[in-house]
Amino acid sequence: MSNLPSEPEFEQAYKELVSTLENSSLFQKNPEYRKALAVCSIPERIIQFRVVWEDDKGQVQVNRGYRVQFNSALGPYKGGLRFHPTVNLSVLKFLGFEQIFKNALTGLNMGGGKGGADFDPKGKSDNEIRKFCCAFMSELGKHIGADTDVPAGDIGVSGREIGWLFGQYKKQTKLWEGVLTGKGGSWGGSLIRPEATGYGLVYYVEHMINYASGGKESFAGKRVAVSGSGNVAQYAALKVIELGGTVLSLSDSKGSIIATTESGIDAEMIEAVAKIKVDRKQLADVAHTSEFSGKVRYIDGARPWLQVGRVDVALPSATQNEVSQEEAEGLIKAGCKFIAEGSNMGCTQEAIDVFEAHRKSNKGSDAVWYAPGKAANAGGVAVSGLEMAQNSARISWTAEEVDSKLKDIMRNCFQNGLETAKTYLTPAEGEFPSLVAGSNIAGFSKVAAAMKDQGDWW
């Protein structure tokens, strides 16, 4: 990659995958997979385009739009659209690269892709956002389709934006098809899609806790630190509460709220956070209201990890690189035993190294156990895949049916990573298997084998 412009986020994701493959017996057992890695690390296609739209003052604005169609060996490209000023090609390549293997771990027929624009929805009117969505889809719509590429929402793209994007796609193609997921429930969306990433994250960690404790423990009584305050964080927190845990924190780009009572952040407070996030407001706007007063403290400019005191479980659910080496060490000192990423690449490589070193040097319940986002947060794209299946069959499943399928998928994600780690790394007696290595190897191996069968490498 030395002849390319610097792409730090993509390079981090690539090196994280490669390091675990190299430190396993995968290439000794399958030396030809090195060629698969070289092929797989280059996107099949990158689409870049300008998005010209008119603001409420009648002034023309322009943004950069992207779609990285990374790998279609297992099915149509699948991955979200992100509208955020930090969006660039490096960020989208990292997200698309991770998406390939995350989608593989679900067991569903989905390839990997990602897209978006450097458009900032904050401070924009509904009319301006709608105009931008229509302009964006006017170009993106030429390159996607139900059996080609099926985007979904991501940061800055909620169900409302999906509706506007879908409407524009339908107008210009005259097709009503499952070209986007995260649609409205009355026109092709799946039940529990908004909840799926957060719910799936907690279901995954349930299996970690159950395995580590020999079936003796659950979320009941656990103190859980959560970062972020969007869909993933909200629904992860609600599921933790439902299962008997205590939520210690939520955060956004400006700061964190930290629970100051033993009951923690409750469901009513999470509902209040959800309402302000729809209006694109900050946690600081509600931290001192009557609903929160005396129950939380607001810390400006801080992430929650070093602020929550004793903690059992950490769920980074905001954005990439939100847990540093120092914060990883602080979490271990605070008693954290389980950390699983609701965000994509939520931990820096240095933080992962801290967690993995602690896992290897401590046995059983004394060790911290880390799960990567490509496995732990796969619930969102899994239910997107289930939405695609419902659209193809023109049927709708109940919330209970979808939730049951989601639980099965998250159990399989955990078991697949666990057993693959045992096969290719052989943990020492009493050592928890590496879920990051096992998940990387399992996802990569599945994609590599499909690519070979299809003649992409040989």
Side-chain angles (χ1 to χ4, degrees):
M1 292 187 287
S2 60
N3 64 326
L4 298 176
S6 176
E7 296 178 330
E9 292 86 0
F10 173 63
E11 290 166 17
Q12 180 184 341
Y14 175 82
K15 290 174 182 176
E16 188 268 321
L17 177 84
V18 173
S19 67
T20 56
L21 301 182
E22 292 282 5
N23 290 323
S24 73
S25 60
L26 178 69
F27 289 144
Q28 286 74 42
K29 295 179 178 179
N30 304 277
E32 71 277 12
Y33 275 15
R34 289 187 183 276
K35 178 59 66 177
L37 176 62
V39 175
C40 192
S41 64
I42 300 174
E44 293 177 9
R45 190 175 299 104
I46 295 175
I47 300 152
Q48 301 183 69
F49 51 94
R50 68 187 179 207
V51 185
V52 182
W53 57 283
E54 188 178 279
D55 66 20
D56 288 344
K57 297 178 181 178
Q59 297 177 340
V60 172
Q61 304 291 336
V62 62
N63 289 94
R64 291 176 173 84
Y66 307 87
R67 187 65 178 173
V68 179
Q69 295 178 333
F70 223 122
N71 193 289
S72 59
L74 297 178
Y77 307 106
K78 187 81 192 80
L81 298 172
R82 178 174 293 192
F83 291 170
H84 195 273
T86 61
V87 164
N88 58 40
L89 194 53
S90 175
V91 168
L92 294 179
K93 283 181 66 177
F94 128 61
L95 291 168
F97 190 64
E98 290 277 291
Q99 198 78 49
I100 301 168
F101 311 113
K102 179 191 299 186
N103 293 358
L105 289 170
T106 68
L108 303 174
N109 292 122
M110 299 182 292
K114 207 75 178 182
D118 59 359
F119 170 78
D120 189 357
K122 290 183 179 178
K124 306 292 192 302
S125 70
D126 289 354
N127 186 51
E128 288 174 325
I129 297 171
R130 182 187 60 81
K131 285 183 177 179
F132 178 83
C133 288
C134 292
F136 180 83
M137 183 53 80
S138 291
E139 180 59 33
L140 181 66
K142 303 171 186 176
H143 309 284
I144 63 176
D147 296 312
T148 306
D149 184 350
V150 184
D154 194 90
I155 294 172
V157 180
S158 66
R160 180 184 63 171
E161 286 75 25
I162 291 294
W164 289 331
L165 291 164
F166 183 86
Q168 180 64 20
Y169 178 85
K170 184 164 61 72
K171 288 172 187 174
Q172 67 191 48
T173 64
K174 301 181 179 64
L175 296 174
W176 196 109
E177 61 179 14
V179 68
L180 291 159
T181 56
K183 299 186 291 298
S186 63
W187 49 277
S190 176
L191 292 170
I192 79 162
R193 175 60 189 90
E195 300 93 331
T197 307
Y199 280 11
L201 172 65
V202 174
Y203 294 154
Y204 188 98
V205 177
E206 267 194 306
H207 292 295
M208 295 174 70
I209 296 171
N210 183 70
Y211 181 92
S213 67
K216 297 177 182 178
E217 296 181 22
S218 67
F219 264 101
K222 294 288 188 293
R223 292 170 58 85
V224 183
V226 181
S227 69
S229 49
N231 265 10
V232 180
Q234 291 168 28
Y235 288 113
L238 289 171
K239 184 59 70 172
V240 167
I241 293 169
E242 180 185 322
L243 296 176
T246 301
V247 176
L248 305 177
S249 62
L250 293 171
S251 68
D252 60 20
S253 59
K254 301 297 184 182
S256 301
I257 55 172
I258 309 298
T260 56
T261 69
E262 286 302 311
S263 58
I265 295 171
D266 59 32
E268 288 73 23
M269 296 163 74
I270 295 168
E271 182 179 353
V273 168
K275 289 178 180 177
I276 67 159
K277 288 301 169 179
V278 169
D279 297 328
R280 290 182 161 78
K281 293 182 179 179
Q282 304 291 332
L283 290 177
D285 296 328
V286 294
H288 305 294
T289 63
S290 58
E291 291 173 282
F292 290 78
S293 181
K295 300 177 182 178
V296 303
R297 58 191 173 101
Y298 178 77
I299 305 178
D300 186 50
R303 294 189 290 235
W305 314 122
L306 303 181
Q307 314 297 329
V308 293
R310 183 176 65 81
V311 59
D312 300 304
V313 180
L315 303 176
S317 303
T319 189
Q320 66 263 23
N321 292 328
E322 55 172 311
V323 181
S324 67
Q325 177 178 342
E326 178 189 1
E327 289 165 323
E329 292 167 348
L331 283 169
I332 291 173
K333 289 178 182 177
C336 185
K337 296 301 181 186
F338 305 96
I339 178 164
E341 294 174 337
S343 53
N344 293 306
M345 205 166 70
C347 299
T348 65
Q349 186 59 56
E350 293 77 15
I352 295 171
D353 291 343
V354 168
F355 294 135
E356 286 291 274
H358 194 273
R359 176 189 61 80
K360 293 182 73 173
S361 61
N362 293 269
K363 306 303 180 187
S365 60
D366 292 329
V368 66
W369 208 10
Y370 160 77
K374 63 171 59 69
N377 71 33
V381 75
V383 173
S384 282
L386 297 178
E387 182 176 327
M388 291 166 65
Q390 292 171 79
N391 291 168
S392 295
R394 299 291 195 271
I395 59 173
S396 296
W397 293 324
T398 66
E400 292 75 18
E401 287 176 302
V402 177
D403 195 38
S404 176
K405 294 176 189 294
L406 173 61
K407 288 178 178 178
D408 288 343
I409 289 170
M410 299 314 298
R411 182 186 67 246
N412 292 337
C413 277
F414 173 76
Q415 291 292 342
N416 195 3
L418 186 78
E419 297 305 322
T420 302
K422 292 178 181 179
T423 300
Y424 288 99
L425 288 103
T426 316
E429 185 177 352
E431 178 186 307
F432 292 150
S434 172
L435 293 175
V436 61
S439 299
N440 281 341
I441 296 166
F444 171 75
S445 297
K446 183 173 181 179
V447 173
M451 291 172 67
K452 183 177 183 180
D453 288 346
Q454 296 167 27
D456 291 335
W457 66 274
W458 54 91

